[in-house]
Amino acid sequence: TLTLSLWDDEGSMVTDEMQLGFGDVPSAPAQPEGMAYVDVATVETSDYTTSLVENAEDYTWIIEPSAAGVIIGNENTATVSWNAEFTGVAYISVAGGNSCGTGEVSAVLEVQVVNSIVGLTEPDEPAVSIFPNPASEIIHVNLSSAGSYIPVVRLVNMMGIELFNSGVVNNVSELVIPVSGYSPGVYLLSVNTGDRQLTRKIIIK
């Protein structure tokens, strides 16, 4: 109990009391556990966990670089939504906190992030635009700049099962592929001109 007293020039006094609490900030949690190798071609989110720490009232989760994705924590667990355009090493850590402040940060978990989908690019490859991506209802495949190429458009899931095949597309500037009936996830859309193929990853939500 802290007691404060104040006197004026005439000797009158007023007092007030304040209750003070003292405590330690939490110690560093254990290094996060979870997937240390992520292929964003097939994995959109992954979960991580750490040990509960004494005196911790909340936990702050950190992912670096921030371009790797978004991390959302719920006490001693967290979920990372990966950026499909990021590849490299991501660093995940966590710290406990309470009313006295934030404690020490845990040891860092290094996550190798790769993308196994490689689009083939040739100087004279037909220019094709695919939108929207992610998609929920339909996918537009713009073939207006394919030039003299006569492409075949295919959509397959990550198990390699073909879900759509346009057959030979001739004198068509745009294809519309309905996808509302497909399960959310990652798919592969390819435009094949016989000796060349353009492959793109499509996310259906």
Side-chain angles (χ1 to χ4, degrees), residues 4-15:
L4 303 177
S5 301
L6 176 67
W7 288 266
D8 63 14
D9 292 339
E10 298 177 358
S12 299
M13 181 185 70
V14 293
T15 62

Side-chain angles (χ1 to χ4, degrees), residues 62-65 68 71 82 86 88-93 108-111:
I62 306 161
I63 184 169
E64 295 179 336
I71 189 166
W82 296 103
F86 176 83
V89 179
Y91 303 91
I92 297 175
S93 57
V108 172
L109 173 66
E110 295 187 8
V111 182

Side-chain angles (χ1 to χ4, degrees), residues 118-122 125 196-200:
V118 179
L120 303 180
T121 57
E122 298 283 345
E125 181 180 11
R196 296 176 180 83
Q197 177 171 297
L198 171 69
T199 300
R200 290 290 180 265

Side-chain angles (χ1 to χ4, degrees), residues 180-200:
S180 59
Y182 300 148
S183 301
V186 180
Y187 295 76
L188 300 180
L189 190 146
S190 64
V191 180
N192 193 313
T193 63
D195 59 345
R196 296 176 180 83
Q197 177 171 297
L198 171 69
T199 300
R200 290 290 180 265

Side-chain angles (χ1 to χ4, degrees), residues 126 128 141-144 146-154 164-177 189-194:
V128 175
V141 182
N142 191 321
L143 303 169
S144 59
S148 60
Y149 293 103
I150 303 177
V152 174
V153 179
R154 299 173 65 244
F164 175 86
N165 189 323
S166 68
V168 175
V169 178
N170 195 5
N171 298 321
V172 175
S173 61
E174 183 176 277
L175 280 178
V176 176
I177 305 174
L189 190 146
S190 64
V191 180
N192 193 313
T193 63

